[in-house]
Amino acid sequence: MRKRRAYLMFSGFALMAIAGTTVGVNTYQQHRLAPYKTAKQQKVQTVVQNFPTTVVKTKAQKADDLKTKGIETPYDTQLTAQGKKPKEMTLAEKSNTYVKMTLSLSAEAAAQKSSTPNPDGTSATLNHINQAEQNIIDQQTPIKNRAEQITGKKVLKQSGYLVNTLSIMAKPTQVKQLSAIAGVKEVHIQSVYQPANSNDNDLAQVTDDWRSAHGGDGSGMLIADIDSGIDYTHPDLKLTTTGSKQAKLSKDSSKLFQKFSSYGVYQSNKVPFAHNYADNIDSQDELKDNGITHEHGQHVAGILAANGKVKGVAPEAQLLDMKVFSNHHNGASTDSIVDAIEDSVKLGADVLNLSLGSSLTNYSSLMPETAALNRAAKLGVVPVVAASNDGRASAEQSDLHTVAHNPEEDISISSMSLADGAISVASMEGTQTHALTTNFSDSAGKTFSDKVPVRVSPGIPDDFWTKKHTIRDNGVPWSDEGYNYDETKKADWISKGFNLATDAHKIKIIQYNPDPVANTTVKDMQRTAKKNDVDMVILIDYKDRSLPSCEFAPVDDENAPAMLISYQSGRQLLAKVRELAPDYYGKEPLPEDASAEDANKRQEVANASLTAPTTTTADNQDTGKMSTFTSWGCTPDLNLKPDVTGVGGNIWSLSNKDYAQMSGTSMASPFVAGTVALLKQQANKQHVNLGQGSNKFIKNMKTLLQNTAQPVYSKDGQAYYSPRQQGAGLVQVDNAIKSHTVVTDAKDQDGAVDLKSFSGQTKTFTLNIKNVGNKAATYSVKGLGGVATEIRTTDSKAPNEVGIRTTYNSNGDALDTTSLNGVGTYYYRDEQPYLDLVSEHNIANATLTASQNQVSVPAGQTKTVAVTVTVPKTQAKQSWVEGYVQVKSTKDSEPAANIPYFGYYGNWDAGQVIDKPAQEKGSIKGWGYLGDSHYLRPLMTGNTGIASNEYVTQYTSDNDHAAISFQKSSAHQSAVDL
């Protein structure tokens, strides 16, 4: 389970080590902070929140600093990218390490000035834009010089077109000095972004019939693929004669931009500009993704605009290959992303697709990448951003469970997709699955495991699949119930499960144990397998779920071939292997004088073979469901995100040389970006004014997509999925083309209603209904489905593996104490023994009523309707209230307009931020407990007789006998945070 800790700092020490543990997600949440009295106070508090630091000068401070080892900080991702191990570093060590930071400056960027023209591809305009940008950069000189003086480092990057920023390596301890420079508005730690990982077009109404009827193919549209690179030589990346005639960015215009910028290349009329922003290298090998991010950008490009065996959403659109992920290291930097956004705007992009994300931690609307997206939107360019793939923040990815104690603990949406000017995209499942599968056959050639879905390491020699192999598993594991013949032993940190004497030149089956601390990741297993001369290691996933993606090492002199199979496939394979191996289950007992070699052979299957993996297609059993991996909103200040949903689960698209299936909001985002391109093409073609080229376009486009989207219905919960998961629903391009109705929240003209936090049983909001058609229309106004809420039910099949629990009787006496974290340390606290399963259900007896059941709106005019949501007295406080309002014309040919609403019934600020000390009943996390550093006993002044350790039963503190002391408080005169 992922844990997210806040950083409340006091005198250099984390409060969690003194008064308990923070329960909420992160202190970036505005509703958790006291209001600022002055601008100066705001700047100081921002520094403290975002940059936890400590300085060690004395022995006492050094001892205290040792206790901070492993405390998470906002710059851990950068430290990891530098090859460091932040979990092994203290706060002082982190504070003294250089990380990349961005200084956002107070002065306007060039694009904010009315004198700077909008890009049009001409030499004169490009020259004007470049000069305006250079003027801003020249004005940064005094700030640049002072920043270099403070840090002792040279400025790395200066930007001046969409944002006015400069980047530099600095220590967290230098942030206050940098913030104090005249002209500096805010200092940001740069984020490290990761990729947010054919028949499906029909789900959004993008059918061949629709293309024929409307001519909607993306011709004349230019889409920026800001990702890991495109291999333009793929046969599906092409324009037909129709697309070529209407191509927006010509070869001459591309060359002109390259002349002004001194970088980039023209690749084809389909990909007229490409540049590697991560490494500033423009050879073809460096422009395409060589596999470090699994050809992610190529897959996205196919969804956007493939035009061959695979048809993208906008097949005749051109693509900008804006590569921000390096082939040589993981993650994309803020600098690369901002540069790619700026150049995309200069080149005339209509749509930006960003299938990447990072944690919501330390989100600010002043972040350079967020500011760049918002300013691009004001120029009429539409940014489409993946919501990310973190599921619910308190649970594991692709898990419908939660351990959240406050509602914000499940917010996991990517920070960049929160930009006001961006369309944030969630994911639902596609119609089909495409999987690599292999067959296992015995010595007689008879198949004993058929079409097993697999993931395999790249570079396995062709002759591997034609040879005969001996298959051996890792042995039967022991559990409390005895031997478990359904599984095999998992990899351990010592041997990883290999034995050179028995495993050499064989295929070894081992239970997957993806523990980086135990060094048993896939790559670790490949290396160890090679050292033991193993032909291949087959890893069985450790839990029952869909086959996850994983990072393999290519097969070479140091890495053996590897294969990952699912938990259920592994159980079936083991059963067959053990059925064929004579010694399992005692079918053929060994003679008493049998040698050890004979014993080993009788636990193996000899002369077995595996077929080379091939792609098989099947119906997706989860079609019509929201993807469990899709990240949840809303924003910390209760605004709705994500905005809409695209198809992102099990999507078949391009790889560099062939085709591949991937899943993620990374796939849903280009689905929506391609739809935006189609809608803009149609608006231009039909001379419909949506504000193209202005700041009105993004709002109009987003509202159009939201109003005409189809909310996704959950058959499991008999209710529509939460707007916090799906936004307005799945985009529907045909509905958007036909619609003449615009429905918005009257208070802010948005296509979603944010009810915020409310405590009364009723909540009223006002809708604007605008008729943009040329004839009067009459509309009905009603709820779509019921008024819904999120419910949590205990799942007895899902033990809570986080923390410790104690069972109490009605008198509050402890009956049974059980460790759930495997450490063996027990505290007097209350913890739920099982996880909660989350689902959406309609609230019984809740109602949604409109002030007018029907409203007539003349052509070109707007009418308002008041809508009231009422919840029953029995509805629990501190709960979500949400759903959809449908505005439907009496004309059957007019698509319905839907608008989501959501709010928090109760006090959004009432959630517990600081946990109770671990010795108190009701402690949620069980952290923040000072204890004897030798015996790991809690510090106390009395004896309760309740177990504090599995070997010691007389040293547990309670509410009446707890004591905190920093000196001479235990046998070894030192304390640790338990």
Side-chain angles (χ1 to χ4, degrees), residues 3-8 16 22-33 49-50 52 72-74 358-363 393 406-413 636 908 912-913:
K3 302 184 186 72
R4 298 188 175 201
R5 302 188 184 182
Y7 303 98
L8 304 179
M16 67 172 71
T22 51
V23 177
V25 180
N26 286 295
T27 56
Y28 63 79
Q29 295 172 7
Q30 295 177 7
H31 68 281
R32 294 289 182 218
L33 304 175
Q49 290 168 11
N50 291 343
E72 299 172 19
T73 66
S358 71
S359 169
L360 186 58
T361 308
N362 302 301
Y363 170 75
N406 291 328
E408 72 272 19
E409 289 182 76
D410 270 336
I411 297 175
S412 60
I413 194 164
W908 181 240
Q912 187 174 347
V913 178

Side-chain angles (χ1 to χ4, degrees), residues 118 221-222 248 348-352 374-384 420-423 672-673 675-685 687-706 749:
N118 286 359
M221 295 292 105
L222 182 62
K248 183 173 188 177
D350 298 287
V351 187
L352 311 177
N374 286 334
R375 285 171 195 155
K378 288 183 177 180
L379 296 174
V381 182
V382 180
V384 181
D420 289 338
I423 297 176
V672 172
T675 301
V676 170
L678 294 181
L679 292 176
K680 184 174 182 181
Q681 178 194 11
Q682 292 300 302
N684 292 346
K685 190 175 180 179
H687 306 290
V688 176
N689 182 12
L690 292 175
Q692 290 93 317
S694 74
N695 60 356
K696 295 180 181 179
F697 186 59
I698 179 63
K699 188 136 191 169
N700 289 337
M701 180 59 71
K702 187 186 296 186
T703 301
L704 179 62
L705 289 172
Q706 289 176 313
Q749 287 71 56

Side-chain angles (χ1 to χ4, degrees), residues 683-750:
N684 292 346
K685 190 175 180 179
Q686 298 176 18
H687 306 290
V688 176
N689 182 12
L690 292 175
Q692 290 93 317
S694 74
N695 60 356
K696 295 180 181 179
F697 186 59
I698 179 63
K699 188 136 191 169
N700 289 337
M701 180 59 71
K702 187 186 296 186
T703 301
L704 179 62
L705 289 172
Q706 289 176 313
N707 279 179
T708 58
Q710 176 59 52
V712 184
Y713 188 76
S714 170
K715 295 179 181 179
D716 296 335
Q718 297 298 307
Y720 286 93
Y721 285 99
S722 168
R724 293 171 293 114
Q725 186 182 22
Q726 67 166 316
L730 179 66
V731 295
Q732 301 285 286
V733 66
D734 194 44
N735 287 352
I737 294 293
K738 293 177 179 177
S739 177
H740 298 97
T741 309
V742 179
V743 181
T744 57
D745 185 352
K747 74 176 184 297
D748 55 16
Q749 287 71 56
D750 280 349

Side-chain angles (χ1 to χ4, degrees), residues 925-938:
K925 297 295 186 181
W927 299 330
Y929 202 152
L930 294 178
D932 184 299
S933 62
H934 184 75
Y935 290 109
L936 296 181
R937 299 169 182 162

Side-chain angles (χ1 to χ4, degrees), residues 195-197 200 293-296 299-300 303 355 386 388-390 397-398 426-435 455 546-550 620 622 626-630 646-653 660-670:
N197 271 329
D200 296 310
T293 48
H294 309 290
E295 301 173 13
H296 185 270
H299 199 273
V300 168
I303 299 170
S355 290
S388 201
N389 301 335
D390 287 324
Q397 183 190 41
S398 300
S427 171
M428 72 172 286
E429 287 299 301
T431 57
Q432 293 183 319
T433 61
H434 298 76
R455 301 204 188 280
S546 299
L547 188 61
S549 59
C550 62
N620 185 356
D622 291 326
M626 291 299 295
S627 302
T628 55
F629 56 73
T630 196
V647 184
N650 297 295
I651 304 302
W652 188 246
S653 184
Q661 176 176 287
M662 291 187 183
S663 293
T665 53
S666 281
M667 287 62 251
S669 178

